[in-house]
Amino acid sequence: LAKTTQPISMDSYEGQEVNITCSHNNIATNDYITWYQQFPSQGPRFIIQGYKTKVTNEVASLFIPADRKSSTLSLPRVSLSDTAVYYCLVGGDTGFQKLVFGTGTRLLVSP
Amino acid sequence: NAGVTQTPKFRVLKTGQSMTLLCAQDMNHEYMYWYRQDPGMGLRLIHYSVGEGTTAKGEVPDGYNVSRLKKQNFLLGLESAAPSQTSVYFCASSYSPVYEQYFGPGTRLTVT
């Protein structure tokens, strides 16, 4: 199963764009890349998922280079409410039971 | 739709006591999961189920048992609670392991 590496923490200000990069050097052919957001005292919430190139939804974009060994979650114009922990997961139909929510990236957005 | 619900929200146990945590989902998902999250840590998978009547061990199964007698319910049992099981427990469900998991609000368990 692909191991992921993310920064432990990031700081930003309201209105800025935030990019969180996740490294997954041994990603398998059938693996998808999924990002979750977790607020204190709540369960994680799905943000976005992708396989290759770029995926965009109403809250974020996910950039995946051709070699798929990394991915970048982009949050446009963050607000205070985006302060949370962000997890990058890599996995597919097989080995999913070994999916690991690591310690994630703790994003702090300041006024 | 209520999504994923968990009962109870909070519980305090004494060492050696037993309890059952209930997870229910109304999305007709085949896959269900139980995680634990310790302070400042990520989530670790305890047990999971790929369908009614099936269960399997995750990363940290010791001290826990599970049952999935109905598709919509996934129960997590602690037969003899230990202080090391003090944690927040999250249940989740998904249509398939590839697709997004929907999480419940969590159960905060303290074992003294």
Side-chain angles (χ1 to χ4, degrees), chain A residues 49-87:
Chain A
Q49 182 182 68
Y51 183 79
K52 62 180 179 180
T53 63
K54 176 184 174 182
V55 179
T56 298
N57 61 23
E58 62 275 9
V59 298
S61 294
L62 179 59
F63 298 91
I64 305 170
D67 66 6
R68 303 201 325 125
K69 293 183 184 298
S70 67
S71 58
T72 299
L73 173 72
S74 180
L75 304 172
R77 298 179 299 280
V78 294
S79 64
L80 297 178
S81 62
D82 291 315
T83 292
V85 179
Y86 293 82
Y87 297 98

Side-chain angles (χ1 to χ4, degrees), chain A residues 36 38 46 49 87 93 97 102, chain B residues 37 42 45 48 98 100-101:
Chain A
Y36 287 83
Q38 186 179 28
F46 172 88
Q49 182 182 68
Y87 297 98
D93 281 339
Q97 60 272 35
Chain B
Q37 184 172 36
L45 184 64
Y48 65 96
V98 173
E100 67 178 287
Q101 295 184 30

Side-chain angles (χ1 to χ4, degrees), chain A residues 30 32 34 36 38 41-46 49 87 89 91-94 96-104 106, chain B residues 31 33 35 37 40-45 48 50 57-59 90 96-106 108:
Chain A
N30 295 330
Y32 284 75
T34 311
Y36 287 83
Q38 186 179 28
S41 301
Q42 294 186 24
R45 184 179 70 172
F46 172 88
Q49 182 182 68
Y87 297 98
L89 275 76
D93 281 339
T94 58
F96 70 90
Q97 60 272 35
K98 296 186 175 65
L99 275 178
V100 175
F101 282 78
T103 51
R106 190 172 298 274
Chain B
Y31 292 77
Y33 318 82
Y35 294 90
Q37 184 172 36
M41 305 290 288
L43 284 77
R44 291 184 292 172
L45 184 64
Y48 65 96
V50 302
K57 295 179 180 179
E59 181 189 0
F90 290 104
S96 89
V98 173
Y99 297 134
E100 67 178 287
Q101 295 184 30
Y102 293 81
F103 284 81
R108 186 173 297 274

Side-chain angles (χ1 to χ4, degrees), chain B residues 13-16 36-39 44 46 60-64 78 80-89 109-112:
Chain B
L13 288 179
K14 294 187 186 304
T15 298
R36 62 175 288 175
Q37 184 172 36
D38 299 322
R44 291 184 292 172
I46 305 172
V60 289
D62 294 342
Y64 306 95
L78 286 74
S80 180
S84 61
Q85 294 178 304
T86 293
S87 189
V88 179
Y89 291 85
L109 174 66
T110 301
V111 183
T112 61

